[in-house]
Amino acid sequence: MGENLPYAADAESPLKPEELQVLRGQYEKEGDFVGVQTKFNYAWGLIKSNIRGEQQEGVRLLSDIYRNAPERRRECLYYLALGNFKLGNYAEARRYNDSLLQHEPGNMQAGSLRGLIDDKVAKEGLVGVAIVSGVAIAAGVIGSLIFQGARRR
């Protein structure tokens, strides 16, 4: 099943607005009796979006499916990982993705996403170190200026 699913990079291409509207229309049409497949399809479309609010709604819908439809958990794990990745929740993304890889170590889709997660975490870690270093240097310079000003008086 995993070999028929898109690699993580494919999820970077959002649906066209009219395509997402078709999924939304079906979801809304089913109302209180929305089927798992319809909810999953709509959540999938929302996850692919570049709009943060839509991505959040997609994660919320997928979390609901994950809790209530055990037969869909495998698919939900991947898209929950992807949705959290796109939202910048890298720890959650890694947790879902690692869970999937634990059950399917050869899953190329999850392997691809693992690489994206690791790259983002490493990049943001370096940015974090640079920010902390910059703050420490600025604090040192300011402290030095204050100390020198106090000595002159």
Side-chain angles (χ1 to χ4, degrees):
M1 182 172 182
E3 56 275 353
N4 296 328
L5 296 170
Y7 288 107
D10 181 53
E12 292 299 316
S13 56
L15 296 180
K16 294 177 183 156
E18 55 273 9
E19 293 171 327
L20 184 57
Q21 185 54 45
V22 168
L23 296 175
R24 181 180 290 118
Q26 184 63 38
Y27 176 79
E28 291 172 351
K29 179 180 166 188
E30 292 183 25
D32 292 339
F33 303 103
V34 67
V36 173
Q37 186 62 49
T38 299
K39 186 185 276 190
F40 183 86
N41 291 347
Y42 182 45
W44 168 81
L46 291 169
I47 292 293
K48 288 178 63 81
S49 173
N50 289 330
I51 299 169
R52 185 173 180 82
E54 290 180 350
Q55 294 166 352
Q56 290 170 327
E57 178 66 6
V59 167
R60 188 190 68 72
L61 292 172
L62 285 170
S63 295
D64 186 53
I65 295 169
Y66 184 84
R67 281 189 307 276
N68 298 312
E71 71 280 3
R72 297 304 294 263
R73 284 189 176 153
R74 180 260 166 245
E75 291 169 285
C76 287
L77 280 174
Y78 174 74
Y79 287 106
L80 281 166
L82 183 62
N84 277 289
F85 170 77
K86 290 180 79 172
L87 289 168
N89 303 330
Y90 303 125
E92 281 294 296
R94 187 177 302 212
R95 187 172 64 84
Y96 286 119
N97 201 56
D98 286 350
S99 180
L100 177 56
L101 285 168
Q102 185 176 11
H103 296 292
E104 297 180 23
N107 185 306
M108 294 175 73
Q109 187 182 24
S112 173
L113 183 55
R114 175 194 271 167
L116 291 175
I117 294 168
D118 289 347
D119 289 349
K120 277 288 192 183
V121 168
K123 181 178 178 185
E124 290 201 1
L126 290 175
V127 169
V129 167
I131 290 170
V132 169
S133 297
V135 168
I137 290 170
V141 168
I142 291 170
S144 173
L145 291 173
I146 291 171
F147 183 70
Q148 287 177 354
R151 284 179 50 197
R152 289 184 187 159
R153 291 183 189 175

